[in-house]
Structure formats: structure tokens, C-alpha cells
Amino acid sequence: MAIFGYSQLAFYVKCPFRFYLERVKRVEVPLDERRHYIGTVLAIVLDTFYKSQRWRSANPLPLMAADVQAAAATVDTVSTCPWLPGERDQKLAEATSLLPTILDTLRQERLLGLRTFTELDVEIRLGKDRVVGRPDLVIESPAGEPGLWVVDGKAGGTLGRHVSTNQLRFYALGLVEHQRFQRPPDRAGFWWFRHGTVVWKKVTMATLDKFRTSIVETIQRLRDKDFQPKPSADCRLCDVRAHCPTGQAYLQARVAGKVALEIDGNLGVVSL
């Protein structure tokens, strides 16, 4: 039996050659955890928010601001960020500035006072293989009321950029196979912290079945060592592009105006 992280498979699908360079050949790449620092801190803050029932306070914001500092201290115990002078404080100030928007979104989307699971482990079984992952929030309405939602938080600055709906499909399948839920969520969404927006997606079993098949095919391609490069707009952010002639050629052609950037900017409620 093999266990795959969903993020591992998603990384492979985005560009098999980059996966080969970083995960198989182990090309040394600069690890800059600063990219994800705010998102990691806010995920811990949300976990504390629900477990400590911060919404019951008349004014949760001061408590949440203290939680930012506590979360940062936790992250710093395992982080190797090469901070520039004042840079860490700037990141924490930015995270704290997002708290009013986060609290407003929780209220507007009616995500308070419900049965909530943070950092819940989910998995799907594919024969002898397992694929595992962890959504940020799973929210269940009280017994007798309809409503099962899964939410993944995004701290990035551009709404709709560099995300794949397949991530939500995986979480939905994980809930179908979870002993407690055994059904797909009624809604699945990406929560863009900076914009105070949750982009909800509808979930259907028909598309989840197709997605399950695609995961099986992805695992087989990985076992077959299919590591063909897959040039895209993400090449400009690739840490190993210096080792990829195909990616370099793509970027040169883009600069010359011969190819267009591919950006997923679809918003609103769509059928998966």
C-alpha cells in the first residue's frame, strides 16, 4: 500500500518535470517560507478561534490579535525564514490587519456557532493506495438541519489566481469516505482572506467520480515515471526553471508575445 499526500499529486500534475527535479532528483532549491507565512499563521488563528469559541466574546478582535502573536511563535519554532530587519513584524502587522475582514466574512457567510472541524484529516482509498489531505474548515449544521460545507483559506493577494478546483473535489471525496459524514458537502469554497470573499462551488457526485478516476490515472503516470514538462504561466515562479529548457523557451516566447498567460479567473458558483 502506498500513501500519497494530495498536495504531492497536485504538485506533480501542475508540472511533472518540476516534480522530478525537486522530489526525485532532489535539485537544491531555495526554500523561502516567507511566501506562506501569513497563510500558515492565519490557519492557526482560525483553529484557535473555533476551538476557543472566540465568537462568544463581545469583542473577539483583541483576542484574535493576541492569537496572531502566539501562532507566529509556534511557526517560528520550526521555521527557517531568513528574515530581513523588520520583515517579520511587517508580516504580522499585515496578518493582524486582515482580522476585521476575516471576522466580517465569518458573520456574513454565517460560519459562526456551527459544529466546526479545523484541520480535519481526510483520505480516499483507491485499491491498495490512499490519498490523504487536510482542509482548513469543515462546517456541519446542527442535527436535523441541512448543511455540510468545506472551506480552504487562501492568503494570496490575487482573487482566483494559482488555485485549482480539484483541491475542493479532493476534500469533497474525503468527506464522502469519512466515517462521520459519508456524503459530499453541499458547498465547497475558497476563502480569500484579503478580499473577504468565499467563492463557493457546487459539488456533484458525477464529477467526483470522474475526479476519482483522474487520481488513479495520475498515480499510474507517476509510477510509470512520466515526467514530461508542462510549461505554463507558473514557469515564471518556478524555483528550478534554470534546469528546464522547455520552461525557459516558454518564458522567452511569452516575452516575445507569442503565447498568452493562462489565468483561471472564473468566479461565482459553478458546477464541479
Side-chain angles (χ1 to χ4, degrees):
M1 180 178 70
I3 301 176
F4 300 91
Y6 174 72
S7 60
Q8 174 189 11
L9 295 180
F11 187 73
Y12 169 79
V13 168
K14 183 171 284 190
C15 182
F17 189 60
R18 180 178 180 181
F19 180 92
Y20 166 75
L21 290 174
E22 293 193 23
R23 306 292 175 88
V24 180
K25 194 175 180 181
R26 300 291 182 181
V27 170
E28 186 174 347
V29 297
L31 181 61
D32 189 353
E33 297 170 332
R34 290 174 295 185
R35 296 180 185 175
H36 311 292
Y37 192 78
I38 291 177
T40 303
V41 166
L42 290 178
I44 297 174
V45 169
L46 278 176
D47 183 59
T48 303
F49 181 89
Y50 279 103
K51 288 180 178 178
S52 300
Q53 299 186 355
R54 297 293 195 219
W55 72 83
R56 294 185 181 277
S57 169
N59 184 12
L61 287 176
L63 297 173
M64 296 171 69
D67 291 337
V68 167
Q69 298 297 324
T74 299
V75 174
D76 290 344
T77 61
V78 295
S79 174
T80 57
C81 286
W83 295 113
L84 298 173
E87 188 177 17
R88 178 182 176 276
D89 291 341
Q90 182 180 358
K91 290 281 187 181
L92 295 184
E94 188 175 352
T96 303
S97 72
L98 295 174
L99 296 179
T101 302
I102 288 172
L103 188 58
D104 286 346
T105 304
L106 288 169
R107 289 167 173 161
Q108 291 168 8
E109 296 289 344
R110 295 180 297 171
L111 303 180
L112 299 177
L114 302 176
R115 189 178 294 113
T116 306
F117 305 86
T118 56
E119 302 294 321
L120 177 77
D121 291 320
V122 297
E123 68 174 47
I124 60 175
R125 293 182 177 270
L126 305 166
K128 294 183 178 181
D129 296 324
R130 293 166 54 203
V131 183
V132 299
R134 183 180 292 173
D136 289 330
L137 288 175
V138 175
I139 300 165
E140 184 181 37
S141 294
E145 297 182 20
L148 179 63
W149 308 328
V150 61
V151 179
D152 195 75
K154 299 296 179 185
T158 305
L159 193 68
R161 289 283 296 277
H162 307 296
V163 297
S164 170
T165 305
N166 283 342
Q167 184 179 7
L168 297 178
R169 292 187 178 113
F170 168 72
Y171 295 148
L173 274 176
L175 294 182
V176 171
E177 298 195 9
H178 197 282
Q179 185 176 5
R180 178 185 179 90
F181 305 107
Q182 299 183 24
R183 66 187 180 93
D186 300 287
R187 294 197 298 176
F190 291 120
W191 178 4
W192 296 90
F193 294 141
R194 297 176 187 272
H195 299 270
T197 300
V198 181
V199 181
W200 294 106
K201 314 283 186 177
K202 288 183 179 178
V203 178
T204 65
M205 280 306 303
T207 51
L208 293 185
D209 289 340
K210 291 180 181 178
F211 178 63
R212 178 190 291 274
T213 300
S214 75
I215 294 180
V216 173
E217 294 170 349
T218 296
I219 292 174
Q220 188 58 52
R221 286 173 51 207
L222 187 54
R223 287 198 167 111
D224 291 341
K225 300 180 179 180
D226 178 0
F227 297 124
Q228 292 297 313
K230 188 177 178 181
S232 71
D234 291 329
C235 287
R236 63 189 178 86
L237 302 175
C238 178
D239 293 323
V240 292
R241 61 182 179 273
H243 302 272
C244 179
T246 302
Q248 292 180 48
Y250 174 87
L251 291 175
Q252 290 171 1
R254 184 172 71 87
V255 170
K258 295 180 180 178
V259 294
L261 284 176
E262 298 174 6
I263 298 176
D264 179 9
N266 295 326
L267 304 178
V269 179
V270 298
S271 177
L272 293 185

